[in-house]
Amino acid sequence: MRHTLTSQLWLFTLIAVSMTAVASPGPTPAAPQTPLPPPKDVPFPGAITVAVEASDLQRRIVRVHETVRGVNPHTILLYPQWLPGTHAPEGPIDRFAGLKITANGKAVPWTRDPVEVFAFHVAVPAGVTSIDVEFQYLSPTSGKVGPLEISDHVLMVEWNSVVLYPAGYFARQIPVTASLTLPTGWKFGSALETDSVNGAQTTFKRTSLATLIDSPVYAGDHALRVDLDPGAAVPVHLDVFADRESLLALTADEIAAHRALVQQAYKLFGSHHYAHYDFLYSLSDQVQQQGLEHHQSSEDGGDPESFTEWTKTAFERDLLPHEFTHSWNGKFRRPADLWTPNFNVPMRDGLLWVYEGQTNYWGNVLAARSGLLTHQQALDSLAQVAAYYAEEAGRQWRSVADTTNDEIINPRHPMPWRTYQRFEDYYEEGQLIWLEADTLIRSLSRGARSLDDFAKAFFGINDGSFTTVTYTFNDVVQALNAVEPYDWADFLRKRLDGVALPAPLEGIRRGGYQLVYTDTPSELSKNADDQRKRVNLSNSLGVNLDDKDGTIAEVVWGSPAFAAQLTESTQILAVNGNAYSADLLKEAIRAAKDGKAPIELIVKNGDRFKVVSIDYHGGLRYPHLVRDESTPALLDDILAPRP
Ligand SMILES: [Zn+2]
């Protein structure tokens, strides 16, 4: 269709008149802030030298002296904001202080960007090409301020906390020489290569900013280094740092299981993507217990008694297999929209059900294959996951795909109703989806192929290369189809985007097992409760609480405790008229099963007390997987060590 000139003019006049007519009184927006220069894939024409002093164990002040060569009057320095591994803008800018910049001994003014508050505009005088930068990183002094990183015996240095870098360049294009001063006599572990040692100061070989930030240092005065692949050309070490020397007592069987982990991972992936790998393992009840993946190392905070109470700490035994798997799934192969060229470009987390979900799957499978978990412990761990999703109320309104945004929405702050809000479910629901995919491939191929073949084909490429290869949803679908032709796009999208679907337990059923409940917890679950000093009644009363003082950590949405209007942080003082104890509460649940009387509690929240009746008669309920003899035990095959 063709408009005449006259009708176009008439239309233009009409629009202009109507736009004038709807303009409202009041302010109009200021001109937007000039955006930061986007990073370019060209060499930074200079280099960074950063010297970090991390020896102030009491005040936990980490001092940083940095020289940046190659600056100009337009230089912008960035404090890393978007951190790989956390997939979120969690750089600790609130603990960054004392910034002073000088050139040739004279102060150089700086101003913070009012929109990008991790960016500092530096007024470098004309002709000056090198600046000296000084600041402190104020590491948390108590748990109230943040998770501790420094104790009397263990400390961790994450380089993203202690470096400013120039905007405008890919992180891999910025050369850095870093040095670290530790308390005298302390040992350390890191993926970094040592260049020289001068007393308590270690200088590392020059590397890129990308590799530096991917290579944290753990240190301590009670340290142990275990060779997990003796004689290998590409070494793997377990570097343990503990509160006390006695916590370092690894048995021969424990070492053997960790060595088997390395071999089972090689059998699964058929490759490696590091020059050497270091598990940086802290055993401390003070510094934070976290798992954080890196390409050639991982930060692994375990229960301090991980080795000395081996059976009791089995509930977290998938930690090392999970973080090790990330060297392949997450670091070497990464979702294309999650990979970013520097640390101040936003990440998109939509494929975390592969990055974290399949890693959670392999973490548990490799734990079983290596003997870090017994077969029964692996089943008990899976039963817990299955029971959580069988009853999670949030599945009624929110897809697992939507939960991939959770790291950005909530950086792991406590939540009032986790089971309704949902939280990072792409890990464990992702694990169940991948179990379903694995059992499906095994069924369709009559046992000829499995998800192991996908792992080898997808993560095992370019053996020995450290260069990250990115992927998209379609790449995942294509790789699955190459292993076993099926409508994988539909399979995945239904499970990822679906709302109010039945719990994803098909992989367990097809694996030859059923989820059942009994009145006795599994040994794994009981030990987890003992070790965490918790009472987990999630599947019965609907509470998880402190075993000693009865303070509720979590109330399950839709549970009997929810109906009785209990909330987290409420303390149970009395059960049926008697002072609270964990045993008394369990006994009351047992007794109510055979009667009609409700369970009566006296509870306290702040300085308010009340009496609560819970009309619950379902008895104690704990999840287990039991063998269904009518179906082949595919799950047993999955968990069995590869020969
Ligand atoms: Zn992970």
Side-chain angles (χ1 to χ4, degrees):
M1 200 196 290
R2 209 167 63 88
H3 291 283
T4 63
L5 184 64
T6 320
S7 72
Q8 280 181 359
L9 274 174
W10 180 82
L11 196 64
F12 177 78
T13 311
L14 185 72
I15 291 169
V17 168
S18 65
M19 281 173 76
T20 313
V22 296
S24 59
T28 54
Q33 176 75 7
T34 308
L36 300 181
K40 291 196 184 123
D41 191 11
V42 295
F44 173 59
I48 294 174
T49 306
V50 59
V52 174
E53 291 173 39
S55 49
D56 185 347
L57 297 179
Q58 301 309 313
R59 296 174 301 185
R60 300 169 171 93
I61 301 165
V62 181
R63 296 170 196 282
V64 182
H65 300 267
E66 195 173 326
T67 302
V68 185
R69 288 185 289 107
V71 294
N72 61 50
H74 309 291
T75 291
I76 296 169
L77 294 180
L78 301 174
Y79 190 68
Q81 177 179 17
W82 288 84
L83 306 182
T86 69
H87 328 301
E90 291 181 26
I93 189 77
D94 54 327
R95 301 176 199 148
F96 171 93
L99 178 62
K100 280 185 193 155
I101 303 178
T102 55
N104 303 319
K106 287 190 189 138
V108 175
W110 57 265
T111 51
R112 192 189 299 255
D113 190 281
V115 173
E116 303 293 343
V117 295
F118 288 69
F120 300 90
H121 299 268
V122 186
V124 178
V128 167
T129 57
S130 176
I131 53 174
D132 294 303
V133 179
E134 185 189 313
F135 65 91
Q136 297 89 42
Y137 170 64
L138 307 176
S139 186
T141 43
S142 76
K144 198 171 73 180
V145 179
L148 283 191
E149 299 158 338
I150 298 176
S151 76
D152 287 349
H153 300 286
V154 179
L155 70 78
M156 47 199 279
V157 174
E158 290 175 340
W159 295 99
N160 60 274
S161 305
V162 291
V163 71
L164 286 172
Y165 72 97
Y169 301 90
F170 279 25
R172 64 180 181 228
Q173 294 274 23
I174 303 173
V176 189
T177 305
S179 67
L180 178 63
T181 303
L182 291 167
T184 308
W186 280 34
K187 297 192 175 98
F188 71 88
S190 175
L192 294 174
E193 305 277 355
T194 298
D195 184 65
S196 63
V197 178
N198 181 7
Q201 186 185 42
T202 301
T203 301
F204 300 101
K205 286 185 181 160
R206 181 163 150 147
T207 185
S208 70
L209 181 72
T211 299
L212 180 76
I213 288 188
D214 195 35
S215 307
V217 177
Y218 273 36
D221 57 350
H222 302 297
L224 177 73
R225 190 154 208 245
V226 184
D227 186 348
L228 294 186
D229 199 0
V234 178
V236 179
H237 283 98
L238 177 63
D239 302 311
V240 195
F241 304 92
D243 279 346
R244 301 183 299 281
E245 200 68 23
S246 60
L247 296 172
L248 298 172
L250 272 81
T251 67
D253 285 349
E254 290 165 14
I255 293 172
H258 286 90
R259 286 179 173 166
L261 166 62
V262 177
Q263 298 313 318
Q264 287 295 325
Y266 289 163
K267 283 175 182 169
L268 175 63
F269 298 115
S271 67
H272 64 80
H273 303 290
Y274 42 77
H276 56 90
Y277 189 94
D278 284 78
F279 290 100
L280 308 176
Y281 200 174
S282 69
L283 303 178
S284 171
D285 55 19
Q286 289 201 297
V287 301
Q288 66 170 312
Q289 295 173 18
Q290 68 164 356
L292 189 57
E293 65 275 20
H294 301 284
H295 209 135
Q296 307 198 65
S297 63
S298 52
E299 297 177 62
D300 309 293
D303 185 302
E305 297 179 311
S306 291
F307 299 121
T308 45
E309 292 289 355
W310 182 251
T311 305
K312 282 190 183 168
T313 53
F315 64 92
E316 58 169 33
R317 198 63 48 69
D318 69 319
L319 175 67
L320 269 58
H322 179 108
E323 302 308 337
F324 195 35
T325 296
H326 271 318
S327 180
W328 289 265
N329 180 11
K331 304 309 288 193
F332 171 60
R333 296 228 59 180
R334 198 172 313 167
D337 56 358
L338 181 62
W339 182 88
T340 56
N342 74 9
F343 304 100
N344 293 71
V345 172
M347 295 172 177
R348 286 164 284 173
D349 291 351
L351 284 167
L352 284 181
W353 52 272
V354 186
Y355 180 125
E356 293 293 1
Q358 196 172 125
T359 296
N360 225 50
Y361 181 67
W362 290 127
N364 281 278
V365 167
L366 286 173
R369 288 183 185 176
S370 61
L372 287 166
L373 286 176
T374 65
H375 181 71
Q376 186 59 48
Q377 286 168 339
L379 292 178
D380 292 342
S381 172
L382 188 56
Q384 301 256 54
V385 173
Y388 182 86
Y389 290 101
E391 299 184 6
E392 190 198 36
R395 304 186 77 259
Q396 297 304 311
W397 74 271
R398 195 176 182 207
S399 69
V400 67
D402 189 52
T403 73
T404 60
N405 299 300
D406 282 352
E407 280 276 17
I408 298 169
I409 294 169
N410 171 7
R412 302 195 175 180
H413 292 156
M415 308 167 81
W417 303 106
R418 180 181 60 129
T419 57
Y420 185 62
Q421 293 166 275
R422 307 199 76 178
F423 187 64
E424 297 184 6
D425 286 354
Y426 49 90
Y427 279 90
E428 290 187 334
E429 188 161 336
Q431 177 189 348
L432 294 175
I433 292 170
W434 287 113
L435 173 62
E436 194 177 343
D438 196 352
T439 54
L440 186 57
I441 296 170
R442 285 166 190 260
S443 291
L444 292 171
S445 70
R446 298 177 189 279
R449 291 176 295 280
S450 71
L451 199 65
D452 283 45
D453 297 296
F454 171 85
K456 191 166 275 182
F458 200 70
F459 303 115
I461 56 170
N462 307 359
D463 185 25
S465 167
F466 316 159
T467 306
T468 294
V469 181
T470 59
Y471 63 84
T472 62
F473 177 80
N474 285 341
D475 294 330
V476 176
V477 168
Q478 273 176 25
L480 283 166
N481 269 315
V483 172
E484 188 63 42
Y486 190 70
D487 192 350
W488 289 109
D490 182 66
F491 170 95
L492 291 168
R493 287 266 65 102
K494 270 194 178 132
R495 282 154 185 79
L496 296 165
D497 301 333
V499 172
L501 298 176
L505 305 181
E506 184 59 19
I508 290 173
R509 192 201 61 76
R510 203 186 291 114
Y513 282 84
Q514 276 182 333
L515 174 65
V516 300
Y517 295 85
T518 74
D519 61 4
T520 312
S522 66
E523 193 194 301
L524 181 100
S525 169
K526 186 185 175 307
N527 283 332
D529 273 12
D530 289 352
Q531 207 65 13
R532 289 168 165 159
K533 301 180 173 49
R534 283 285 175 84
V535 187
N536 185 355
L537 302 170
S538 300
N539 302 113
S540 51
L541 210 55
V543 289
N544 195 324
L545 64 163
D546 183 294
D547 69 346
K548 285 284 174 292
D549 77 359
T551 300
I552 297 172
E554 179 169 31
V555 174
V556 175
W557 185 280
S559 68
F562 177 84
Q565 303 189 358
L566 289 178
T567 56
E568 59 81 31
S569 294
T570 299
Q571 187 182 8
I572 301 177
L573 299 176
V575 181
N576 292 337
N578 295 299
Y580 163 86
S581 77
D583 285 342
L584 190 67
L585 181 59
K586 287 183 206 165
E587 185 47 48
I589 294 170
R590 251 185 241 114
K593 195 181 179 192
D594 304 320
K596 289 214 161 51
I599 300 163
E600 204 166 84
L601 307 177
I602 299 173
V603 301
K604 175 177 182 280
N605 194 334
D607 57 2
R608 298 287 189 273
F609 294 75
K610 64 177 177 177
V611 176
V612 168
S613 283
I614 305 186
D615 198 16
Y616 172 66
H617 305 282
L620 291 167
R621 290 174 82 242
Y622 298 99
H624 301 267
L625 296 188
V626 293
R627 181 75 186 94
D628 170 7
E629 295 296 341
S630 69
T631 311
L634 296 182
L635 187 52
D636 290 357
D637 297 341
I638 291 169
L639 298 175
R642 293 269 302 268

